[in-house]
Amino acid sequence: MPESGQKTTQGHITESTPAAPATGGTPAARSVGLLVTLVLGGLTALPPLSMDMYLPALPEVTGALHAPAATVQLTLTACLAGMALGQLVVGPMSDKWGRRRPLLVGMVVYVLATAVCALAPTAELLIGFRLLQGLAGAAGIVIARAVVRDLYEGVEMARFFSTLMLISGVAPIIAPLIGGQILRITDWRGVFHVLTVIGILLTFVVWRFLGETLPPERRHEGGVGDALRTMRGLLADRVFTGYMLAGGLAFAALFAYISASPFVVQEIYGASPQTFSLLFGLNSIGLVAVGQINGKLLVGRVSLDKALGWGLGIILLAALALLLMTSGVFGEVGLVPVAAGLFVLMSAMGLAMPNTNAQALMRTPHAAGSASALLGTSSFLVGAVASPLVGIAGEHTAVPMAVVQLTCAVLSLACFLGLCRPWRSGKEATGV
């Protein structure tokens, strides 16, 4: 729970500031809470910005760098894999040295790596630079979740994750739109120039306004061995592992859509980059809207497990419908039915993602950084594996995307039911 009796300095959190953004109290307290929310929202928005702003340019990159679509999709995979592996390092570091220092170092390296991406002369070098970009960008992802665990408990944590989804959800809505407009005036390299500027601005905001939320007395003093033992203990928790795998596999279904949709919408159905951007933004609005329904209406009235189960079930049904449509069971279908299926799948993520994070982190108040690292790493690694599979049959069929999505949805629901056992009442099932 939040620490009390601490002070603020110049409107931002320091090591002696409140450990939780206030939801009531004085206007100054509410201002600090809003500021922290916006900063954490910016950090969680960085991954979709890095991924989604680049999506409309994927077909152009294949021509500019003379590389096949499967190779260019590896630029997404490399960034995703980097974000996964980086979290394993940064998470335990933040438990030992606090949240602020590892975050700032990661942000600086992210800015440098993004700037170098704009100069890559070959697909192979771009893949390498994207890997470095992902490794550095991992700091923002893992530490933002750990800070939320520092600040909140129980239902309030689930609500805050839904609030973060609203803020960070703006990124996937506007990122493809920005990317599409950038391509009107420049080439794909301009996308990375814009990302560099965004990274610089976010680094300044973090440096100026986000202070330390993990006081020294709550830090771990152990080294790498201690961090590994902590992670091993977390993985030995069957329920935590169930939520981790369920969330990671659901994210893989989402990332299969992110990786394949530029080719599905533009190459198979002949839409323009601008049309693709609009459809992508609409799907992101669905995700954000359902996330807010979860946070504002369901949390506190419906158990987190029940909301999570509904979300995973809807994802499975949407993926099955997409497979039937793309494989020709219903004959030739146009863009509209496929886009509707993708919209339902994306929207249901608003129930799955915040609730898996909240349920898993509720069980780990003693090691929020390490737990956050495992949650993020599992999601990004499974997503990195799913990414190249969606292009395995070439650029002219959407069946691999639907197969990957359905497989991930089935496995996610199986992990949730088999490991978390949500029908059981009490501490084991709920984590509280």
Side-chain angles (χ1 to χ4, degrees), residues 53-418:
M53 194 183 296
Y54 175 62
L55 292 179
L58 282 178
E60 179 183 321
V61 175
T62 61
L65 298 183
H66 309 289
T71 300
V72 172
Q73 282 174 329
L74 287 176
T75 62
L76 293 175
T77 302
C79 186
L80 200 62
M83 289 181 178
L85 297 174
Q87 291 183 69
L88 285 177
V89 177
V90 177
M93 285 174 57
S94 73
D95 282 338
K96 181 177 181 179
W97 291 311
R99 314 302 185 200
R100 181 175 166 83
R101 282 185 291 172
L103 177 58
L104 286 172
V105 171
M107 291 301 301
V108 170
V109 177
Y110 171 87
V111 168
L112 296 175
T114 305
V116 174
C117 283
L119 306 175
T122 66
E124 292 74 18
L125 287 174
L126 180 59
I127 291 170
F129 293 143
R130 288 281 277 174
L131 177 64
L132 179 60
Q133 182 192 39
L135 287 168
I141 310 168
V142 67
I143 291 178
R145 272 197 307 266
V147 167
V148 173
R149 186 62 188 91
D150 293 340
L151 304 182
Y152 289 106
E153 294 279 358
V155 169
E156 288 302 315
M157 181 165 54
R159 287 200 177 105
F160 195 85
F161 274 124
S162 293
T163 300
L164 282 186
M165 183 169 288
L166 172 62
I167 298 172
S168 63
V170 174
I173 295 172
I174 67 173
L177 297 174
I178 296 173
Q181 296 307 311
I182 291 172
L183 294 179
R184 285 180 176 271
I185 59 176
T186 184
D187 61 8
W188 62 272
R189 299 180 189 275
V191 174
F192 287 106
H193 292 143
V194 173
L195 284 172
T196 302
V197 173
I198 293 172
I200 292 171
L201 293 175
L202 186 56
T203 302
F204 171 77
V205 170
V206 169
W207 171 75
R208 179 64 180 83
F209 297 110
L210 183 65
E212 188 56 69
T213 60
L214 186 66
E217 62 271 15
R218 291 171 53 194
R219 299 177 190 175
H220 294 186
E221 295 300 326
V224 174
D226 183 67
L228 292 176
R229 283 190 293 273
T230 299
M231 289 185 176
R232 187 167 61 246
L234 292 171
L235 292 174
D237 181 346
R238 171 177 50 80
V239 180
F240 172 85
T241 300
Y243 288 122
M244 180 189 73
L245 292 176
L249 288 161
F251 181 82
L254 171 64
F255 198 76
Y257 158 75
I258 292 174
S259 182
S261 59
F263 298 97
V264 171
V265 174
Q266 296 179 76
E267 300 296 329
I268 297 177
Y269 293 100
S272 67
Q274 288 71 39
T275 300
F276 162 73
S277 299
L278 289 172
L279 289 175
F280 196 93
L282 181 63
N283 291 340
S284 300
I285 289 173
L287 187 153
V288 171
V290 174
Q292 290 311 291
I293 291 173
N294 176 72
K296 304 299 183 183
L297 298 179
L298 299 182
V299 171
R301 296 180 176 87
V302 177
S303 73
L304 300 185
D305 277 336
K306 184 175 291 187
L308 173 57
W310 275 104
L312 295 178
I314 294 171
I315 291 170
L316 190 153
L317 292 176
L320 177 60
L322 285 167
L323 179 59
L324 295 175
M325 286 188 286
T326 57
S327 60
V329 172
F330 301 130
E332 290 291 331
V333 297
L335 177 59
V336 173
V338 173
L342 292 172
F343 175 81
V344 173
L345 186 145
M346 279 281 284
S347 298
M349 295 292 173
L351 292 174
M353 289 161 51
N355 290 324
T356 51
N357 282 333
Q359 288 286 66
L361 287 172
M362 267 191 265
R363 302 182 65 85
T364 60
H366 57 289
S370 296
S372 178
L374 287 173
L375 290 172
T377 297
S378 63
S379 296
F380 281 78
L381 280 180
V382 178
V385 172
S387 174
L389 294 179
V390 300
I392 199 169
E395 306 171 28
H396 306 296
T397 175
V399 171
M401 176 192 74
V403 169
V404 171
Q405 288 174 329
L406 181 58
T407 302
C408 291
V410 170
L411 292 175
S412 177
L413 190 58
C415 288
F416 173 57
L417 296 176

